[in-house]
Amino acid sequence: MSPEVVHRVAVIGTGMIGTSVALALREAGTGVTLSDRDPDAVAAAVRMGAGAARRPSDPPADVVVIATPPSTVAEVLKQAQARGLGSVYTDVASTKAGVVADAARAGCDLARYVPGHPLAGRELAGPAAANAGLFAGRPWLLCPHPATELGAVRTAMQVIRACRAVPRLLTADTHDRVVAAVSHAPHVVSAALAARFTTADDTTLELAGRGLHDTTRIAHGPPGLWTDILRGNAGAVATVLEAVVDDLASVAADLRSAAATGLRDAATADLATLTDLLSRGNRGRARIKAAKAAPRPADHPAPAPAWPRGA
Amino acid sequence: MSPEVVHRVAVIGTGMIGTSVALALREAGTGVTLSDRDPDAVAAAVRMGAGAARRPSDPPADVVVIATPPSTVAEVLKQAQARGLGSVYTDVASTKAGVVADAARAGCDLARYVPGHPLAGRELAGPAAANAGLFAGRPWLLCPHPATELGAVRTAMQVIRACRAVPRLLTADTHDRVVAAVSHAPHVVSAALAARFTTADDTTLELAGRGLHDTTRIAHGPPGLWTDILRGNAGAVATVLEAVVDDLASVAADLRSAAATGLRDAATADLATLTDLLSRGNRGRARIKAAKAAPRPADHPAPAPAWPRGA
């Protein structure tokens, strides 16, 4: 049975996201216990007021939030369910189809597992970077499996609302395609741009302005965690990157030809491929900006669930 | 002879940059006349208080600022010098080696021409986007030719300081390499990322967050002007883009292989190429951020000029 009201949450994994969830829930008055394979990370989260270190004698939680790297979620879920740590389980991994498939293969109880992913800043890591307001007004995606019980989804939504985020349901495949486009591929592209500056001279660095600063901001994220995230969404991310590479390679080739023909001829090169890319960039950017400017419902009603109630 | 004090400036080209220069100079109490091949652009700049429309009877200006697209600068300079519009000439084009070569080939008087480039935001266009504070505290690069008179450079620096910018001397070749890295190539990469969203569905756009917003911000710039800018710096920009393409193509290929081998094997793929790129991205980003955080001298003394005084 899924609890109607969430009183106790167990957070497993006290990195930046897990600790932020815990802090947000504490602010909402929810009881929180914390665990992590690294005792120092738990101690840091406890010092920040994110909750109490979990003890073996603690009663089962209403909801267990698994905030460990994507490749570890299925195993952590399996063990947590075997030990009866809670009633409903959710996670915060940035990829969903692979994690859910892993969980199914590992024999987890999918009826009580609500795959989740809060869309919130990730360029900083560790409990010290956590904050209670991280999710406020942000979408928090839920990708229930056909076997997931509706009551478990409702319970997970209570945790999300307590974190002041906006729950949103979509399929795991749609989730992975969308986040590849809006988050995962941009992260790699930003890294490829920032990577040009590992050996840049002082003059170059001194003359960098806001444009470069903004385009490389998200390149600051833990490489190990991001490799894990991107591995879990490899196909969808590759599709976006291949399209970016096609565009950039065409433009680079045209610019190289223009440069090779000498300035006078370069001046007459029409560089239609470049102008076309810049025009498409304008249109894409205009759509991104318009979507950001559009009012976001603070807490719009969830669409009717399209999956059958599980066993 | 170069004027010791700049009283009158003629701005040719009342787009966003030219009008911002004019507004900054008006604020500093300098007299400004304005011209543009588009009478509406002049009228808009006049209405904003950027100066008076230039009349044929106006006396020669102390400094003529050419703020037209890069490919037109040499011809505009040639005509302006032929008509004796001013004493010292400068421009604001984002590329320098090609513009200076064009000017030399066109037979311009290089002794009185100080090639310039203010580093300031460019994602908006037209006089309406201009503002008097655009250059405050920002670097304004000057790339004198060996034939440029030192007095002309000093006069151009007065205009720069009146705009509250920080003058900085470097060679045209260094200039072009640096701006390819910090501005031109990032613009193309940002466009290639934004271009993925020309046909994105509503779900994708609604879920875009600050990361995508920041990485695509500079993709909003006039394609015609940017084609002109990039054409003028084709070789240096191609070099940066080729390196970005190499990195992204390697990572895309590795992710594609990982996706093709199935989830279980993908989970064990080490994706060393990806982790390496993300690590280099971290290091590059850290250097960009450190350089931005370092205090910028408000008006550091210009280094001693390294070029001979011209004829």
Side-chain angles (χ1 to χ4, degrees):
Chain A
M1 211 188 77
S2 305
E4 292 297 313
V5 179
V6 173
H7 296 289
R8 288 184 305 276
V9 171
V11 173
I12 304 179
T14 54
M16 192 272 278
I17 297 289
T19 305
S20 294
V21 170
L23 288 170
L25 291 172
R26 290 298 302 131
E27 244 185 39
T30 310
V32 179
T33 63
L34 306 165
S35 59
D36 195 290
R37 62 177 184 181
D38 174 7
D40 289 345
V42 174
V46 169
R47 279 196 304 275
M48 291 173 73
R54 183 160 54 79
R55 294 164 305 182
S57 59
D58 286 336
D62 298 317
V63 178
V64 176
V65 177
I66 299 169
T68 62
S71 63
T72 65
V73 168
E75 186 57 30
V76 172
L77 174 63
K78 174 77 179 166
Q79 291 179 14
Q81 288 187 330
R83 294 160 65 193
L85 292 189
S87 172
V88 169
Y89 298 79
T90 187
D91 73 314
V92 300
S94 309
T95 69
K96 291 274 73 82
V99 169
V100 173
D102 282 351
R105 201 160 36 227
C108 297
D109 176 7
L110 299 182
R112 320 294 298 166
Y113 167 49
V114 190
H117 175 206
L119 294 188
R122 271 200 188 257
E123 78 265 27
L124 299 173
N131 81 81
L134 186 66
F135 311 106
R138 298 288 307 149
W140 189 315
L141 312 180
L142 291 178
C143 308
H145 187 269
T148 308
E149 287 177 9
L150 179 54
V153 178
R154 287 197 180 121
T155 300
M157 282 187 177
Q158 289 190 44
V159 170
I160 293 173
R161 292 205 176 93
C163 290
R164 293 185 284 145
V166 183
R168 181 156 180 164
L169 297 172
L170 69 176
T171 67
D173 286 339
T174 300
H175 170 279
D176 286 1
R177 181 179 55 76
V178 167
V179 297
V182 304
S183 168
H184 298 171
H187 190 91
V188 180
V189 172
S190 184
L193 202 50
R196 311 278 71 80
F197 295 84
T198 51
T199 57
D201 57 35
D202 287 349
T203 301
T204 302
L205 291 168
E206 284 162 26
L207 296 177
R210 192 178 145 219
L212 184 70
H213 198 79
D214 282 2
T215 46
T216 59
R217 182 178 61 80
I218 57 174
H220 179 65
L225 172 62
W226 271 96
T227 298
D228 202 55
I229 290 170
L230 295 162
R231 180 191 288 121
N233 201 11
V237 176
T239 298
V240 180
L241 293 182
E242 284 157 1
V244 171
V245 166
D246 277 355
D247 273 339
L248 292 181
S250 301
V251 165
D254 280 8
L255 287 170
R256 183 59 72 196
S257 306
T261 56
L263 284 169
R264 197 181 288 269
D265 294 331
T268 61
D270 72 351
L271 292 171
T273 308
L274 172 60
T275 309
D276 173 64
L277 175 61
L278 298 175
S279 300
R280 284 186 287 125
N282 271 195
R283 290 202 301 278
R285 168 62 187 175
R287 298 193 72 209
I288 293 164
K289 196 174 176 189
K292 191 176 187 228
R296 284 180 199 267
D299 199 347
H300 63 70
W307 67 95
R309 185 169 173 143
Chain B
M1 212 188 77
S2 305
E4 290 298 312
V5 180
V6 173
H7 297 290
R8 287 184 306 275
V9 171
V11 173
I12 304 179
T14 53
M16 192 272 278
I17 297 291
T19 305
S20 294
V21 171
L23 287 169
L25 291 173
R26 289 298 301 133
E27 243 184 41
T30 310
V32 178
T33 63
L34 306 165
S35 58
D36 195 291
R37 63 177 183 182
D38 174 8
D40 289 346
V42 174
V46 169
R47 278 196 304 274
M48 292 174 73
R54 182 162 54 79
R55 293 164 304 182
S57 59
D58 286 335
D62 298 318
V63 178
V64 176
V65 176
I66 299 169
T68 62
S71 64
T72 66
V73 168
E75 186 56 30
V76 171
L77 173 63
K78 174 77 179 167
Q79 290 180 13
Q81 289 187 329
R83 292 160 66 193
L85 292 189
S87 172
V88 169
Y89 297 80
T90 187
D91 74 314
V92 299
S94 309
T95 69
K96 292 273 73 84
V99 169
V100 173
D102 282 351
R105 201 161 36 227
C108 296
D109 176 7
L110 298 182
R112 319 295 296 165
Y113 167 50
V114 190
H117 176 206
L119 293 188
R122 272 200 188 257
E123 78 265 27
L124 299 174
N131 81 79
L134 186 67
F135 311 106
R138 298 288 306 147
W140 189 313
L141 313 180
L142 291 178
C143 307
H145 187 270
T148 308
E149 286 178 10
L150 180 54
V153 177
R154 287 195 179 122
T155 301
M157 282 187 175
Q158 290 192 43
V159 170
I160 293 172
R161 292 203 175 94
C163 290
R164 293 185 284 145
V166 183
R168 181 155 181 164
L169 297 171
L170 69 176
T171 68
D173 287 339
T174 300
H175 169 279
D176 286 1
R177 180 180 55 75
V178 167
V179 296
V182 304
S183 167
H184 297 171
H187 189 91
V188 180
V189 172
S190 184
L193 202 50
R196 311 277 71 80
F197 295 85
T198 51
T199 56
D201 57 34
D202 287 349
T203 302
T204 303
L205 291 168
E206 284 161 28
L207 296 176
R210 192 177 145 219
L212 184 70
H213 198 79
D214 282 3
T215 47
T216 59
R217 182 178 61 80
I218 57 173
H220 178 66
L225 173 60
W226 272 96
T227 299
D228 202 55
I229 290 170
L230 295 161
R231 180 192 288 122
N233 201 11
V237 176
T239 298
V240 180
L241 293 183
E242 284 157 0
V244 170
V245 165
D246 277 355
D247 273 340
L248 292 181
S250 301
V251 166
D254 280 7
L255 287 170
R256 183 59 72 195
S257 309
T261 56
L263 283 168
R264 199 180 286 270
D265 294 331
T268 60
D270 72 350
L271 292 171
T273 309
L274 172 60
T275 309
D276 173 64
L277 174 61
L278 297 175
S279 300
R280 285 186 286 125
N282 272 195
R283 292 201 300 278
R285 168 62 187 174
R287 298 192 73 208
I288 292 165
K289 197 175 175 186
K292 191 175 187 228
R296 286 179 197 267
D299 199 349
H300 63 72
W307 67 96
R309 182 167 174 146

